[in-house]
Amino acid sequence: LENKPMKTRKQGPELTVSALGLGCMGMSEFYGGRDEAEAIATLHRALDLGITFLDTADMYGPHTNEQLLGNALKGRRDQAVIATKFGLVRSAGGGFVGVNGRPDYVHQSCDASLQRLGIDTIDLYYLHRVDPTVPIEETVGAMAELVHQGKVRYLGLSEAAPDTIRRAHGVHPITALQTEYSLWSRDPEDKILPAVRELGIGFVPYSPLGRGFLSGKIKRLEDLAADDYRRHSPRFQGENFAKNLAVVEQVNLIAQEKGVTGSQLAIAWLLAKGDDIVPIPGTKRRQYLEENAAAIDIQLTPSELERIETVAPQDIAAGDRYPDMSSVNR
């Protein structure tokens, strides 16, 4: 892995990032268990491998994941492209308070993130979820002020609809859209990907391994830690679990034939969907980071891609992506 220069990709016309990013959320929360020393070692290993596109958010932890990233990057800030997010509000105790896209909150959030990260400028600043009570033009207008102040370099949106993306892009160029996309969640192919491509916006798939399911390492719900939030995810329940496992087994068969892991095949498939796509698989262990990094060099032939898409067609996953968060998320 070491000796090759890392491949890069563009997000929007100007931002160059490693072809694969690293999602840092699980280092602090949601996926059970924390090991700060291993998390920091994983971040350092990522930089050594040239995986420099690091993804966090103010709500992860809550409010501790940015600090972890800031600590790990001391003395190496210039090697990283740091992406963070704001807009999903949580209490100090971790409860979800709601979505906030108000201009004053934009400024407040950015200052707090800069402080926790211990940096002067955020490379890519995302609105984590669109606030239905605030026109997107107002939120992005305030985000654009951050760019003019030098606090942020580029702007992003997460889980936004095509019309919202267009309106936002009209106020200030949007560099990247981050949305769930994997063999398990192919919905962006219909309207989202065509919209961002038309506007020249990059695309960052989160949960590219279907929250770890596509790795084939989760065979039963009992394999998950007691405090792992996936235990409550509709796709991990009962009949859904069994149906989804059957798809994963098919994907893993193709991977075995190719001599790669299920995770590697899932990442290689996403990378093959376009040069504007930069997946950010999350991991908190060096072992999985290295496995994911090796996927960058896997070439899939058109017939292999077709086979993969036949066993994992759109809408194959049983169950919603999230528990119903309509009160929080809309």
Side-chain angles (χ1 to χ4, degrees), residues 14-274:
E14 291 173 18
L15 180 61
T16 299
V17 297
S18 49
L20 198 67
L22 172 60
C24 301
M25 177 182 87
M27 293 175 178
S28 299
E29 193 181 20
F30 297 114
Y31 289 112
R34 273 172 294 293
D35 176 345
E36 191 149 323
E38 180 62 18
I40 288 176
T42 302
L43 285 161
H44 289 166
R45 186 78 182 117
L47 294 179
D48 294 342
L49 293 173
I51 294 178
T52 52
F53 188 35
L54 307 176
D55 184 90
T56 182
D58 59 2
M59 66 157 282
Y60 301 158
H63 316 124
T64 56
N65 194 242
E66 288 178 324
Q67 287 167 335
L68 174 77
L69 191 55
N71 290 338
L73 292 176
K74 281 200 170 59
R76 301 184 71 172
R77 163 68 183 105
D78 56 344
Q79 289 175 262
V81 175
I82 299 176
T84 191
K85 316 178 199 73
F86 76 95
L88 274 178
V89 189
R90 293 177 69 187
S91 65
F96 283 88
V97 179
V99 181
N100 190 342
R102 289 197 304 274
D104 58 335
Y105 186 73
V106 174
H107 285 275
Q108 190 189 316
S109 298
C110 179
D111 288 342
S113 284
L114 286 168
Q115 203 172 356
R116 283 189 292 262
L117 286 159
I119 60 177
D120 302 321
T121 310
I122 292 162
D123 297 305
L124 176 60
Y125 199 42
Y126 291 102
L127 173 61
H128 209 152
R129 292 290 184 274
V130 175
D131 184 340
T133 66
V134 179
I136 192 68
E137 290 82 358
E138 286 182 28
T139 307
V140 175
M143 292 169 74
E145 289 166 7
L146 300 172
V147 177
H148 300 311
Q149 291 168 350
K151 292 177 181 180
V152 167
R153 288 173 64 212
Y154 298 103
L155 304 184
L157 301 174
S158 179
E159 291 280 348
D163 181 47
T164 310
I165 299 165
R166 279 195 188 90
R167 286 167 51 199
H169 194 66
V171 175
H172 185 280
I174 299 297
T175 293
L177 174 74
Q178 180 174 139
T179 292
E180 183 168 353
Y181 182 33
S182 69
L183 277 174
W184 205 20
S185 292
R186 291 180 56 191
D187 345 350
E189 291 172 0
D190 291 338
K191 298 190 176 92
I192 303 276
L193 273 168
V196 294
R197 284 177 170 156
E198 174 200 320
L199 299 167
I201 297 171
F203 190 87
V204 176
Y206 73 81
S207 294
L209 303 177
R211 311 198 181 298
F213 209 88
L214 291 165
S215 69
K217 295 182 178 93
I218 302 166
K219 306 277 191 239
R220 319 169 300 147
L221 198 59
E222 295 71 44
D223 292 343
L224 301 174
D227 60 347
D228 191 310
Y229 96 104
R230 289 172 291 190
R231 283 178 170 264
H232 307 287
S233 165
R235 292 191 174 176
F236 286 80
Q237 310 300 318
E239 262 178 52
N240 290 349
F241 192 97
K243 283 184 186 157
N244 291 331
L245 197 56
V247 177
V248 170
E249 281 163 0
Q250 294 290 308
V251 171
N252 274 305
L253 278 175
I254 300 174
Q256 278 163 9
E257 280 175 39
K258 203 166 168 64
V260 301
T261 67
S263 298
Q264 289 172 330
L265 190 80
I267 291 169
W269 174 80
L270 272 173
L271 288 166
K273 299 302 279 182

